[in-house]
mmCIF file of all heavy atoms in Angstrom:
data_model
loop_
_atom_site.group_PDB
_atom_site.id
_atom_site.type_symbol
_atom_site.label_atom_id
_atom_site.label_comp_id
_atom_site.label_asym_id
_atom_site.label_seq_id
_atom_site.Cartn_x
_atom_site.Cartn_y
_atom_site.Cartn_z
ATOM 1 N N ALA A 1 1.314 42.054 -13.336
ATOM 2 C CA ALA A 1 0.092 42.808 -13.617
ATOM 3 C C ALA A 1 -0.560 43.440 -12.472
ATOM 4 O O ALA A 1 -1.284 44.444 -12.582
ATOM 5 C CB ALA A 1 -0.844 41.849 -14.388
ATOM 6 N N LEU A 2 -0.400 42.872 -11.295
ATOM 7 C CA LEU A 2 -1.051 43.351 -10.067
ATOM 8 C C LEU A 2 -0.490 44.651 -9.656
ATOM 9 O O LEU A 2 -1.054 45.373 -8.808
ATOM 10 C CB LEU A 2 -0.881 42.334 -8.938
ATOM 11 C CG LEU A 2 -1.682 41.077 -9.025
ATOM 12 C CD1 LEU A 2 -1.311 40.077 -7.924
ATOM 13 C CD2 LEU A 2 -3.179 41.346 -8.978
ATOM 14 N N MET A 3 0.641 45.072 -10.263
ATOM 15 C CA MET A 3 1.137 46.455 -9.990
ATOM 16 C C MET A 3 0.183 47.554 -10.406
ATOM 17 O O MET A 3 0.099 48.613 -9.806
ATOM 18 C CB MET A 3 2.464 46.631 -10.700
ATOM 19 C CG MET A 3 3.665 45.846 -10.130
ATOM 20 S SD MET A 3 5.182 46.206 -11.009
ATOM 21 C CE MET A 3 6.279 45.131 -10.172
ATOM 22 N N MET A 4 -0.569 47.314 -11.484
ATOM 23 C CA MET A 4 -1.499 48.321 -11.951
ATOM 24 C C MET A 4 -2.586 48.615 -10.982
ATOM 25 O O MET A 4 -2.799 49.827 -10.609
ATOM 26 C CB MET A 4 -2.083 47.896 -13.340
ATOM 27 C CG MET A 4 -3.025 48.965 -13.917
ATOM 28 S SD MET A 4 -3.558 48.580 -15.603
ATOM 29 C CE MET A 4 -4.486 47.066 -15.286
ATOM 30 N N PRO A 5 -3.387 47.695 -10.435
ATOM 31 C CA PRO A 5 -4.373 48.019 -9.510
ATOM 32 C C PRO A 5 -3.820 48.560 -8.208
ATOM 33 O O PRO A 5 -4.467 49.419 -7.539
ATOM 34 C CB PRO A 5 -5.154 46.740 -9.284
ATOM 35 C CG PRO A 5 -4.238 45.625 -9.712
ATOM 36 C CD PRO A 5 -3.419 46.264 -10.866
ATOM 37 N N ALA A 6 -2.598 48.114 -7.804
ATOM 38 C CA ALA A 6 -1.992 48.661 -6.656
ATOM 39 C C ALA A 6 -1.668 50.153 -6.783
ATOM 40 O O ALA A 6 -1.875 50.972 -5.865
ATOM 41 C CB ALA A 6 -0.709 47.872 -6.346
ATOM 42 N N VAL A 7 -1.204 50.556 -7.968
ATOM 43 C CA VAL A 7 -0.859 51.962 -8.199
ATOM 44 C C VAL A 7 -2.148 52.763 -8.261
ATOM 45 O O VAL A 7 -2.234 53.896 -7.691
ATOM 46 C CB VAL A 7 -0.113 52.150 -9.490
ATOM 47 C CG1 VAL A 7 -0.029 53.577 -9.950
ATOM 48 C CG2 VAL A 7 1.331 51.560 -9.350
ATOM 49 N N LEU A 8 -3.213 52.323 -8.934
ATOM 50 C CA LEU A 8 -4.478 52.986 -9.012
ATOM 51 C C LEU A 8 -5.098 53.159 -7.656
ATOM 52 O O LEU A 8 -5.631 54.271 -7.333
ATOM 53 C CB LEU A 8 -5.433 52.254 -9.997
ATOM 54 C CG LEU A 8 -4.978 52.188 -11.418
ATOM 55 C CD1 LEU A 8 -5.943 51.377 -12.293
ATOM 56 C CD2 LEU A 8 -4.827 53.561 -12.031
ATOM 57 N N LEU A 9 -5.016 52.156 -6.816
ATOM 58 C CA LEU A 9 -5.548 52.265 -5.489
ATOM 59 C C LEU A 9 -4.763 53.296 -4.695
ATOM 60 O O LEU A 9 -5.337 54.101 -3.919
ATOM 61 C CB LEU A 9 -5.541 50.937 -4.765
ATOM 62 C CG LEU A 9 -5.984 50.891 -3.291
ATOM 63 C CD1 LEU A 9 -7.444 51.323 -3.166
ATOM 64 C CD2 LEU A 9 -5.765 49.511 -2.692
ATOM 65 N N ALA A 10 -3.422 53.289 -4.801
ATOM 66 C CA ALA A 10 -2.591 54.152 -4.049
ATOM 67 C C ALA A 10 -2.862 55.630 -4.456
ATOM 68 O O ALA A 10 -2.891 56.554 -3.624
ATOM 69 C CB ALA A 10 -1.130 53.897 -4.288
ATOM 70 N N THR A 11 -3.064 55.848 -5.803
ATOM 71 C CA THR A 11 -3.422 57.203 -6.286
ATOM 72 C C THR A 11 -4.735 57.642 -5.749
ATOM 73 O O THR A 11 -4.892 58.855 -5.354
ATOM 74 C CB THR A 11 -3.332 57.252 -7.813
ATOM 75 O OG1 THR A 11 -2.130 56.725 -8.258
ATOM 76 C CG2 THR A 11 -3.624 58.601 -8.336
ATOM 77 N N ARG A 12 -5.730 56.749 -5.732
ATOM 78 C CA ARG A 12 -7.025 57.113 -5.210
ATOM 79 C C ARG A 12 -6.983 57.490 -3.719
ATOM 80 O O ARG A 12 -7.606 58.475 -3.304
ATOM 81 C CB ARG A 12 -7.984 55.973 -5.446
ATOM 82 C CG ARG A 12 -9.393 56.195 -4.866
ATOM 83 C CD ARG A 12 -10.112 57.320 -5.716
ATOM 84 N NE ARG A 12 -11.450 57.611 -5.270
ATOM 85 C CZ ARG A 12 -11.746 58.427 -4.293
ATOM 86 N NH1 ARG A 12 -10.751 59.054 -3.578
ATOM 87 N NH2 ARG A 12 -13.032 58.608 -3.948
ATOM 88 N N VAL A 13 -6.290 56.716 -2.906
ATOM 89 C CA VAL A 13 -6.262 57.028 -1.510
ATOM 90 C C VAL A 13 -5.409 58.282 -1.211
ATOM 91 O O VAL A 13 -5.838 59.099 -0.429
ATOM 92 C CB VAL A 13 -5.637 55.800 -0.749
ATOM 93 C CG1 VAL A 13 -5.383 56.152 0.705
ATOM 94 C CG2 VAL A 13 -6.529 54.602 -0.909
ATOM 95 N N ALA A 14 -4.299 58.442 -1.869
ATOM 96 C CA ALA A 14 -3.411 59.549 -1.549
ATOM 97 C C ALA A 14 -3.892 60.857 -2.091
ATOM 98 O O ALA A 14 -3.766 61.942 -1.443
ATOM 99 C CB ALA A 14 -1.979 59.249 -2.018
ATOM 100 N N TYR A 15 -4.358 60.848 -3.398
ATOM 101 C CA TYR A 15 -4.670 62.124 -4.062
ATOM 102 C C TYR A 15 -6.175 62.257 -4.318
ATOM 103 O O TYR A 15 -6.607 63.342 -4.695
ATOM 104 C CB TYR A 15 -3.961 62.237 -5.394
ATOM 105 C CG TYR A 15 -2.425 62.226 -5.221
ATOM 106 C CD1 TYR A 15 -1.676 61.072 -5.412
ATOM 107 C CD2 TYR A 15 -1.754 63.493 -4.962
ATOM 108 C CE1 TYR A 15 -0.318 61.147 -5.362
ATOM 109 C CE2 TYR A 15 -0.419 63.473 -4.828
ATOM 110 C CZ TYR A 15 0.334 62.296 -5.060
ATOM 111 O OH TYR A 15 1.705 62.382 -4.949
ATOM 112 N N GLY A 16 -6.914 61.210 -4.151
ATOM 113 C CA GLY A 16 -8.400 61.342 -4.363
ATOM 114 C C GLY A 16 -8.762 61.296 -5.861
ATOM 115 O O GLY A 16 -9.957 61.510 -6.166
ATOM 116 N N ARG A 17 -7.804 61.068 -6.725
ATOM 117 C CA ARG A 17 -8.087 61.116 -8.136
ATOM 118 C C ARG A 17 -7.408 59.897 -8.795
ATOM 119 O O ARG A 17 -6.236 59.956 -9.164
ATOM 120 C CB ARG A 17 -7.567 62.373 -8.821
ATOM 121 C CG ARG A 17 -8.221 63.642 -8.325
ATOM 122 C CD ARG A 17 -9.696 63.700 -8.610
ATOM 123 N NE ARG A 17 -10.290 64.882 -8.048
ATOM 124 C CZ ARG A 17 -10.417 66.010 -8.661
ATOM 125 N NH1 ARG A 17 -9.823 66.179 -9.862
ATOM 126 N NH2 ARG A 17 -10.996 67.039 -8.121
ATOM 127 N N VAL A 18 -8.099 58.820 -9.037
ATOM 128 C CA VAL A 18 -7.487 57.644 -9.553
ATOM 129 C C VAL A 18 -7.098 57.889 -11.030
ATOM 130 O O VAL A 18 -6.136 57.279 -11.497
ATOM 131 C CB VAL A 18 -8.478 56.403 -9.467
ATOM 132 C CG1 VAL A 18 -9.725 56.640 -10.329
ATOM 133 C CG2 VAL A 18 -7.796 55.074 -9.818
ATOM 134 N N GLY A 19 -7.827 58.740 -11.718
ATOM 135 C CA GLY A 19 -7.530 58.937 -13.117
ATOM 136 C C GLY A 19 -6.232 59.709 -13.431
ATOM 137 O O GLY A 19 -5.758 59.633 -14.562
ATOM 138 N N MET A 20 -5.657 60.354 -12.408
ATOM 139 C CA MET A 20 -4.452 61.099 -12.701
ATOM 140 C C MET A 20 -3.274 60.200 -12.992
ATOM 141 O O MET A 20 -2.318 60.692 -13.603
ATOM 142 C CB MET A 20 -4.093 62.026 -11.502
ATOM 143 C CG MET A 20 -3.713 61.266 -10.204
ATOM 144 S SD MET A 20 -3.298 62.406 -8.823
ATOM 145 C CE MET A 20 -1.634 62.798 -9.237
ATOM 146 N N ALA A 21 -3.336 58.958 -12.649
ATOM 147 C CA ALA A 21 -2.297 58.008 -13.011
ATOM 148 C C ALA A 21 -2.318 57.589 -14.468
ATOM 149 O O ALA A 21 -1.366 57.072 -15.053
ATOM 150 C CB ALA A 21 -2.342 56.733 -12.094
ATOM 151 N N ASN A 22 -3.463 57.863 -15.142
ATOM 152 C CA ASN A 22 -3.649 57.538 -16.521
ATOM 153 C C ASN A 22 -3.115 58.604 -17.442
ATOM 154 O O ASN A 22 -2.307 58.385 -18.321
ATOM 155 C CB ASN A 22 -5.092 57.298 -16.878
ATOM 156 C CG ASN A 22 -5.677 56.104 -16.124
ATOM 157 O OD1 ASN A 22 -4.994 55.072 -15.994
ATOM 158 N ND2 ASN A 22 -6.842 56.240 -15.650
ATOM 159 N N SER A 23 -3.560 59.846 -17.184
ATOM 160 C CA SER A 23 -3.150 60.994 -18.037
ATOM 161 C C SER A 23 -3.606 62.280 -17.419
ATOM 162 O O SER A 23 -4.341 62.294 -16.400
ATOM 163 C CB SER A 23 -3.770 60.855 -19.456
ATOM 164 O OG SER A 23 -5.160 61.210 -19.452
ATOM 165 N N VAL A 24 -3.176 63.386 -18.026
ATOM 166 C CA VAL A 24 -3.600 64.690 -17.501
ATOM 167 C C VAL A 24 -5.069 65.006 -17.819
ATOM 168 O O VAL A 24 -5.572 66.009 -17.414
ATOM 169 C CB VAL A 24 -2.720 65.814 -18.091
ATOM 170 C CG1 VAL A 24 -1.258 65.684 -17.599
ATOM 171 C CG2 VAL A 24 -2.703 65.794 -19.650
ATOM 172 N N ARG A 25 -5.725 64.137 -18.577
ATOM 173 C CA ARG A 25 -7.116 64.234 -18.803
ATOM 174 C C ARG A 25 -7.937 63.587 -17.792
ATOM 175 O O ARG A 25 -9.151 63.637 -17.738
ATOM 176 C CB ARG A 25 -7.529 63.652 -20.211
ATOM 177 C CG ARG A 25 -6.844 64.334 -21.366
ATOM 178 C CD ARG A 25 -7.406 65.748 -21.618
ATOM 179 N NE ARG A 25 -6.794 66.273 -22.799
ATOM 180 C CZ ARG A 25 -5.617 66.976 -22.792
ATOM 181 N NH1 ARG A 25 -5.091 67.196 -21.648
ATOM 182 N NH2 ARG A 25 -5.209 67.516 -23.890
ATOM 183 N N GLY A 26 -7.284 62.862 -16.818
ATOM 184 C CA GLY A 26 -8.027 62.198 -15.859
ATOM 185 C C GLY A 26 -8.661 60.887 -16.331
ATOM 186 O O GLY A 26 -9.487 60.239 -15.645
ATOM 187 N N ARG A 27 -8.220 60.357 -17.445
ATOM 188 C CA ARG A 27 -8.781 59.134 -18.051
ATOM 189 C C ARG A 27 -7.784 58.527 -18.950
ATOM 190 O O ARG A 27 -6.739 59.156 -19.238
ATOM 191 C CB ARG A 27 -10.037 59.465 -18.816
ATOM 192 C CG ARG A 27 -9.833 60.419 -19.961
ATOM 193 C CD ARG A 27 -11.101 60.698 -20.778
ATOM 194 N NE ARG A 27 -10.919 61.788 -21.755
ATOM 195 C CZ ARG A 27 -10.371 61.609 -22.975
ATOM 196 N NH1 ARG A 27 -9.971 60.385 -23.330
ATOM 197 N NH2 ARG A 27 -10.229 62.564 -23.796
ATOM 198 N N PHE A 28 -7.999 57.333 -19.394
ATOM 199 C CA PHE A 28 -7.140 56.661 -20.380
ATOM 200 C C PHE A 28 -7.635 57.030 -21.761
ATOM 201 O O PHE A 28 -8.804 56.795 -22.119
ATOM 202 C CB PHE A 28 -7.234 55.101 -20.146
ATOM 203 C CG PHE A 28 -6.038 54.387 -20.816
ATOM 204 C CD1 PHE A 28 -4.842 54.203 -20.130
ATOM 205 C CD2 PHE A 28 -6.199 53.947 -22.116
ATOM 206 C CE1 PHE A 28 -3.803 53.513 -20.767
ATOM 207 C CE2 PHE A 28 -5.143 53.257 -22.761
ATOM 208 C CZ PHE A 28 -3.967 53.050 -22.020
ATOM 209 N N ARG A 29 -6.719 57.527 -22.563
ATOM 210 C CA ARG A 29 -7.041 58.003 -23.883
ATOM 211 C C ARG A 29 -7.015 56.850 -24.980
ATOM 212 O O ARG A 29 -5.978 56.678 -25.612
ATOM 213 C CB ARG A 29 -6.150 59.171 -24.306
ATOM 214 C CG ARG A 29 -6.352 60.380 -23.387
ATOM 215 C CD ARG A 29 -5.274 61.425 -23.602
ATOM 216 N NE ARG A 29 -3.940 60.866 -23.155
ATOM 217 C CZ ARG A 29 -2.817 61.555 -23.207
ATOM 218 N NH1 ARG A 29 -2.837 62.848 -23.666
ATOM 219 N NH2 ARG A 29 -1.716 61.049 -22.834
ATOM 220 N N TRP A 30 -8.045 56.106 -25.030
ATOM 221 C CA TRP A 30 -8.085 54.903 -25.896
ATOM 222 C C TRP A 30 -7.903 55.286 -27.357
ATOM 223 O O TRP A 30 -7.284 54.554 -28.166
ATOM 224 C CB TRP A 30 -9.320 54.118 -25.702
ATOM 225 C CG TRP A 30 -9.367 53.414 -24.381
ATOM 226 C CD1 TRP A 30 -10.087 53.786 -23.316
ATOM 227 C CD2 TRP A 30 -8.674 52.199 -23.986
ATOM 228 N NE1 TRP A 30 -9.870 52.962 -22.258
ATOM 229 C CE2 TRP A 30 -9.027 51.964 -22.649
ATOM 230 C CE3 TRP A 30 -7.792 51.352 -24.657
ATOM 231 C CZ2 TRP A 30 -8.527 50.851 -21.969
ATOM 232 C CZ3 TRP A 30 -7.288 50.285 -23.981
ATOM 233 C CH2 TRP A 30 -7.651 50.040 -22.669
ATOM 234 N N ALA A 31 -8.464 56.398 -27.807
ATOM 235 C CA ALA A 31 -8.398 56.832 -29.208
ATOM 236 C C ALA A 31 -6.959 57.099 -29.612
ATOM 237 O O ALA A 31 -6.447 56.719 -30.666
ATOM 238 C CB ALA A 31 -9.226 58.022 -29.412
ATOM 239 N N LEU A 32 -6.168 57.694 -28.724
ATOM 240 C CA LEU A 32 -4.766 57.976 -29.001
ATOM 241 C C LEU A 32 -4.046 56.660 -29.132
ATOM 242 O O LEU A 32 -3.171 56.521 -30.087
ATOM 243 C CB LEU A 32 -4.179 58.831 -27.841
ATOM 244 C CG LEU A 32 -2.692 59.026 -27.864
ATOM 245 C CD1 LEU A 32 -2.248 59.806 -29.090
ATOM 246 C CD2 LEU A 32 -2.233 59.753 -26.582
ATOM 247 N N LEU A 33 -4.217 55.729 -28.159
ATOM 248 C CA LEU A 33 -3.574 54.466 -28.227
ATOM 249 C C LEU A 33 -3.905 53.697 -29.503
ATOM 250 O O LEU A 33 -3.003 53.125 -30.185
ATOM 251 C CB LEU A 33 -3.877 53.609 -27.029
ATOM 252 C CG LEU A 33 -3.207 52.220 -26.866
ATOM 253 C CD1 LEU A 33 -2.838 51.972 -25.409
ATOM 254 C CD2 LEU A 33 -4.120 51.099 -27.390
ATOM 255 N N GLY A 34 -5.213 53.683 -29.866
ATOM 256 C CA GLY A 34 -5.626 52.931 -31.033
ATOM 257 C C GLY A 34 -5.091 53.424 -32.327
ATOM 258 O O GLY A 34 -4.634 52.648 -33.194
ATOM 259 N N ARG A 35 -4.955 54.750 -32.470
ATOM 260 C CA ARG A 35 -4.423 55.299 -33.746
ATOM 261 C C ARG A 35 -2.902 54.968 -33.821
ATOM 262 O O ARG A 35 -2.455 54.609 -34.930
ATOM 263 C CB ARG A 35 -4.604 56.829 -33.708
ATOM 264 C CG ARG A 35 -4.109 57.522 -34.981
ATOM 265 C CD ARG A 35 -4.587 58.883 -35.082
ATOM 266 N NE ARG A 35 -6.027 58.945 -35.287
ATOM 267 C CZ ARG A 35 -6.753 60.007 -35.545
ATOM 268 N NH1 ARG A 35 -6.121 61.186 -35.624
ATOM 269 N NH2 ARG A 35 -8.070 59.977 -35.661
ATOM 270 N N ALA A 36 -2.158 55.085 -32.777
ATOM 271 C CA ALA A 36 -0.753 54.748 -32.880
ATOM 272 C C ALA A 36 -0.530 53.248 -32.942
ATOM 273 O O ALA A 36 0.451 52.813 -33.650
ATOM 274 C CB ALA A 36 -0.049 55.261 -31.628
ATOM 275 N N ALA A 37 -1.416 52.441 -32.451
ATOM 276 C CA ALA A 37 -1.221 51.017 -32.528
ATOM 277 C C ALA A 37 -1.328 50.478 -33.924
ATOM 278 O O ALA A 37 -0.669 49.421 -34.211
ATOM 279 C CB ALA A 37 -2.285 50.263 -31.639
ATOM 280 N N MET A 38 -2.025 51.110 -34.796
ATOM 281 C CA MET A 38 -2.092 50.691 -36.223
ATOM 282 C C MET A 38 -0.748 50.662 -36.862
ATOM 283 O O MET A 38 -0.556 49.866 -37.862
ATOM 284 C CB MET A 38 -3.095 51.543 -36.960
ATOM 285 C CG MET A 38 -4.555 51.442 -36.548
ATOM 286 S SD MET A 38 -5.694 52.262 -37.629
ATOM 287 C CE MET A 38 -5.327 53.987 -37.155
ATOM 288 N N VAL A 39 0.196 51.397 -36.413
ATOM 289 C CA VAL A 39 1.529 51.446 -37.009
ATOM 290 C C VAL A 39 2.534 50.587 -36.102
ATOM 291 O O VAL A 39 3.307 49.835 -36.559
ATOM 292 C CB VAL A 39 2.053 52.840 -37.194
ATOM 293 C CG1 VAL A 39 3.501 52.854 -37.660
ATOM 294 C CG2 VAL A 39 1.128 53.612 -38.089
ATOM 295 N N ILE A 40 2.445 50.774 -34.788
ATOM 296 C CA ILE A 40 3.459 50.252 -33.845
ATOM 297 C C ILE A 40 3.332 48.750 -33.771
ATOM 298 O O ILE A 40 4.376 48.045 -33.807
ATOM 299 C CB ILE A 40 3.301 50.854 -32.450
ATOM 300 C CG1 ILE A 40 3.588 52.363 -32.551
ATOM 301 C CG2 ILE A 40 4.226 50.199 -31.525
ATOM 302 C CD1 ILE A 40 4.935 52.763 -33.051
ATOM 303 N N VAL A 41 2.134 48.139 -33.630
ATOM 304 C CA VAL A 41 1.959 46.724 -33.457
ATOM 305 C C VAL A 41 2.522 45.941 -34.706
ATOM 306 O O VAL A 41 3.295 44.940 -34.520
ATOM 307 C CB VAL A 41 0.556 46.364 -33.147
ATOM 308 C CG1 VAL A 41 0.330 44.828 -33.164
ATOM 309 C CG2 VAL A 41 0.126 46.925 -31.780
ATOM 310 N N PRO A 42 2.167 46.326 -35.902
ATOM 311 C CA PRO A 42 2.719 45.604 -37.088
ATOM 312 C C PRO A 42 4.252 45.710 -37.164
ATOM 313 O O PRO A 42 4.907 44.760 -37.516
ATOM 314 C CB PRO A 42 2.032 46.256 -38.283
ATOM 315 C CG PRO A 42 0.757 46.815 -37.708
ATOM 316 C CD PRO A 42 1.088 47.250 -36.335
ATOM 317 N N LEU A 43 4.766 46.859 -36.761
ATOM 318 C CA LEU A 43 6.218 47.045 -36.775
ATOM 319 C C LEU A 43 6.938 46.104 -35.845
ATOM 320 O O LEU A 43 7.939 45.454 -36.132
ATOM 321 C CB LEU A 43 6.608 48.481 -36.541
ATOM 322 C CG LEU A 43 6.441 49.473 -37.624
ATOM 323 C CD1 LEU A 43 6.812 50.900 -37.161
ATOM 324 C CD2 LEU A 43 7.350 49.116 -38.835
ATOM 325 N N TYR A 44 6.391 46.025 -34.592
ATOM 326 C CA TYR A 44 6.953 45.126 -33.578
ATOM 327 C C TYR A 44 6.819 43.675 -33.986
ATOM 328 O O TYR A 44 7.685 42.818 -33.678
ATOM 329 C CB TYR A 44 6.349 45.376 -32.246
ATOM 330 C CG TYR A 44 7.255 46.234 -31.351
ATOM 331 C CD1 TYR A 44 6.876 47.487 -30.947
ATOM 332 C CD2 TYR A 44 8.538 45.796 -30.935
ATOM 333 C CE1 TYR A 44 7.673 48.346 -30.123
ATOM 334 C CE2 TYR A 44 9.354 46.600 -30.114
ATOM 335 C CZ TYR A 44 8.901 47.812 -29.760
ATOM 336 O OH TYR A 44 9.719 48.592 -28.996
ATOM 337 N N LEU A 45 5.690 43.310 -34.602
ATOM 338 C CA LEU A 45 5.515 41.941 -35.017
ATOM 339 C C LEU A 45 6.523 41.536 -36.062
ATOM 340 O O LEU A 45 7.175 40.488 -35.960
ATOM 341 C CB LEU A 45 4.043 41.828 -35.622
ATOM 342 C CG LEU A 45 3.656 40.412 -36.039
ATOM 343 C CD1 LEU A 45 3.680 39.485 -34.792
ATOM 344 C CD2 LEU A 45 2.256 40.422 -36.691
ATOM 345 N N LEU A 46 6.768 42.452 -37.015
ATOM 346 C CA LEU A 46 7.764 42.183 -38.023
ATOM 347 C C LEU A 46 9.172 42.131 -37.416
ATOM 348 O O LEU A 46 9.984 41.226 -37.747
ATOM 349 C CB LEU A 46 7.719 43.337 -39.068
ATOM 350 C CG LEU A 46 8.703 43.232 -40.277
ATOM 351 C CD1 LEU A 46 8.435 41.900 -41.078
ATOM 352 C CD2 LEU A 46 8.591 44.446 -41.106
ATOM 353 N N LEU A 47 9.533 43.005 -36.538
ATOM 354 C CA LEU A 47 10.836 43.086 -35.935
ATOM 355 C C LEU A 47 11.080 41.891 -35.036
ATOM 356 O O LEU A 47 12.166 41.242 -35.185
ATOM 357 C CB LEU A 47 10.951 44.319 -35.072
ATOM 358 C CG LEU A 47 11.246 45.631 -35.860
ATOM 359 C CD1 LEU A 47 11.041 46.848 -34.968
ATOM 360 C CD2 LEU A 47 12.655 45.636 -36.478
ATOM 361 N N ASN A 48 10.176 41.489 -34.180
ATOM 362 C CA ASN A 48 10.468 40.431 -33.255
ATOM 363 C C ASN A 48 10.415 39.075 -33.953
ATOM 364 O O ASN A 48 11.220 38.170 -33.629
ATOM 365 C CB ASN A 48 9.454 40.504 -32.063
ATOM 366 C CG ASN A 48 9.805 41.619 -31.120
ATOM 367 O OD1 ASN A 48 10.879 42.051 -31.013
ATOM 368 N ND2 ASN A 48 8.799 42.072 -30.368
#
């Protein structure tokens, strides 16, 4: 899990934009993830 803050810090220092590691919007698109999760999470629960 510590890889995530390490990448975000590296992106901030090198490029000056920590959000570019999330998406081309410069932020994490929670609405997109939430809508897809309503289908993907139950499918994986059933499969695994």
Side-chain angles (χ1 to χ4, degrees):
L2 289 175
M3 290 180 177
M4 180 172 66
V7 170
L8 295 176
L9 177 61
T11 304
R12 178 67 179 88
V13 173
Y15 296 100
R17 300 296 178 88
V18 66
M20 66 179 279
N22 297 318
S23 75
V24 293
R25 298 290 181 271
R27 59 180 174 83
F28 197 89
R29 297 168 293 181
W30 289 103
L32 172 64
L33 182 142
R35 181 166 296 186
M38 291 188 291
V39 175
I40 297 300
V41 173
L43 282 177
Y44 260 115
L45 184 63
L46 180 63
L47 282 168
N48 285 336

